[in-house]
Amino acid sequence: MLMDIVPQLIANSIIAGSIYMLLAIGFNLLFSTVKFFDLGFGAMTAVGAYAVFYFGKTLGLPTFAAIAIGIVLAGLVGFLVGRFIYKPLKKRKASSLVTLVASLGVLTALQAIVAILFTSQFQTLSRNVGSQRVFDIFGGIITEIQLIILVTGIVVMILLALILKFTMFGKAIKAIGDDEEVSQIVGINTEKVIGWVFFICSAIGGLAGILVGFDTGIEPTMGLSLLLKGVIAAIIGGIGNVYGGPVGAFFLGFVENFGIWKISGEWKDAIAFGVLILFLLFRPQGILKR
């Protein structure tokens, strides 16, 4: 009996970790660049998911076209929020608390807009993407869409690592994260780079929401729960450390799923916050330091 359940727990942990990894990567990259907790990032998951629902299921566009539109639209919304809300606050030298409250307003407003446009009813995205097919991997059952989630998370992580390490754009992001004023002095167009960071991170958030939508379904408030898991994974891995996000994500995925082995699944969130508290108390810098 023990050997029957362990492979499935491992599979569930890896899939959860893959979703958390996308969210932690996007959140950590944004935080390391702009230096504040953007709670509005969570709403981009719903923006991307509902864009796919509208263009794919309502208008009948091909699935992959709808996904592309959803990712780009989430990126654009994030870019516009950064340009017209956070940028003016930054110019006025608003405190971190004011910016945090503004980002909470962004999250609440976008969730309300989505609910008004599409109602609060639970929806599914699955149409042609084959979540019906299942694979047996070393005794653990995984669906096709879950396998896609895993592969997508790994690909995004590798692409982002390559961009940060080998491109001038990536080096500019790291320079701004170290010191934005010095970056301006040496000729980096910080506003343009930060705008692109908002777009990329929001697009990653939208992609995560789309994948969750194909796997389990969507609702307007989905962004809050996903945001919290992404933030917890980012803090565990090392807040502001882009490479720490994936480490924290998979750590959280395994702790959650093995933690509910003998108890109800309703305890999963409590376990996640318990782990967060332990890290904040005993290793606030996370597994990997910035």
Side-chain angles (χ1 to χ4, degrees):
M1 189 67 176
L2 175 65
M3 297 309 296
D4 290 340
I5 192 66
V6 169
Q8 189 59 54
L9 287 173
I10 293 174
N12 293 345
S13 301
I14 291 173
I15 297 309
S18 301
I19 288 293
Y20 300 161
M21 176 172 63
L22 284 172
L23 295 163
I25 286 173
F27 183 84
N28 251 347
L29 177 61
L30 193 56
F31 178 84
S32 66
T33 307
V34 299
K35 298 296 188 299
F36 74 89
F37 273 62
D38 181 15
L39 301 182
F41 172 76
M44 304 311 156
T45 60
V47 172
Y50 274 92
V52 173
F53 174 78
Y54 178 72
F55 289 102
K57 293 194 73 173
T58 304
L59 297 185
L61 292 182
T63 300
F64 290 104
I67 291 173
I69 292 173
I71 293 171
V72 172
L73 185 60
L76 286 174
V77 171
F79 171 80
L80 293 174
V81 168
R83 176 60 58 88
F84 295 107
I85 297 178
Y86 300 140
K87 182 181 174 181
L89 288 174
K90 182 180 176 182
K91 286 187 174 181
R92 294 173 185 173
K93 300 187 182 300
S95 67
S96 298
L97 179 59
V98 170
T99 310
L100 178 66
V101 172
S103 70
L104 178 60
V106 171
L107 172 64
T108 305
L110 288 177
Q111 287 184 160
I113 292 171
V114 170
I116 291 170
L117 293 176
F118 299 99
T119 76
S120 298
Q121 183 179 355
F122 183 82
Q123 306 282 359
T124 59
L125 294 184
S126 297
R127 187 179 67 175
N128 297 325
V129 176
S131 57
Q132 302 86 351
R133 294 180 59 188
V134 296
F135 304 94
D136 188 331
I137 302 177
F138 301 111
I141 302 301
I142 183 173
T143 65
E144 184 177 6
I145 185 61
Q146 289 173 340
L147 187 60
I148 292 172
I149 290 172
L150 174 60
V151 173
T152 302
I154 293 172
V155 169
V156 170
M157 177 183 66
I158 293 173
L159 284 176
L160 189 58
L162 292 175
I163 290 172
L164 290 175
K165 189 172 182 64
F166 296 109
T167 68
M168 292 300 296
F169 176 67
K171 292 175 181 178
I173 291 175
K174 290 192 285 186
I176 293 172
D178 289 336
D179 194 316
E180 184 176 345
E181 291 185 3
V182 173
S183 300
Q184 290 175 331
I185 292 172
V186 298
I188 296 175
N189 188 337
T190 57
E191 288 189 4
K192 183 177 180 181
V193 173
I194 290 174
W196 273 107
V197 168
F198 268 105
F199 178 87
I200 292 170
C201 294
S202 299
I204 292 174
L207 174 60
I210 292 167
L211 293 172
V212 169
F214 277 112
D215 186 30
T216 59
I218 61 174
E219 55 186 342
T221 57
M222 63 185 288
L224 181 59
S225 60
L226 290 174
L227 171 70
L228 292 176
K229 294 301 177 67
V231 171
I232 292 173
I235 293 173
I236 290 174
I239 191 68
N241 187 324
V242 176
Y243 305 106
V247 175
F250 283 107
F251 181 88
L252 178 62
F254 273 88
V255 169
E256 275 189 347
N257 283 279
F258 277 87
I260 61 169
W261 184 352
K262 299 292 186 180
I263 60 178
S264 170
E266 295 175 353
W267 284 89
K268 185 179 286 189
D269 289 345
I271 292 171
F273 280 101
V275 172
L276 172 63
I277 291 171
L278 289 175
F279 266 87
L280 290 176
L281 288 174
F282 300 106
R283 192 173 175 83
Q285 71 270 33
I287 296 173
L288 302 178
K289 295 181 180 179
R290 188 175 186 279

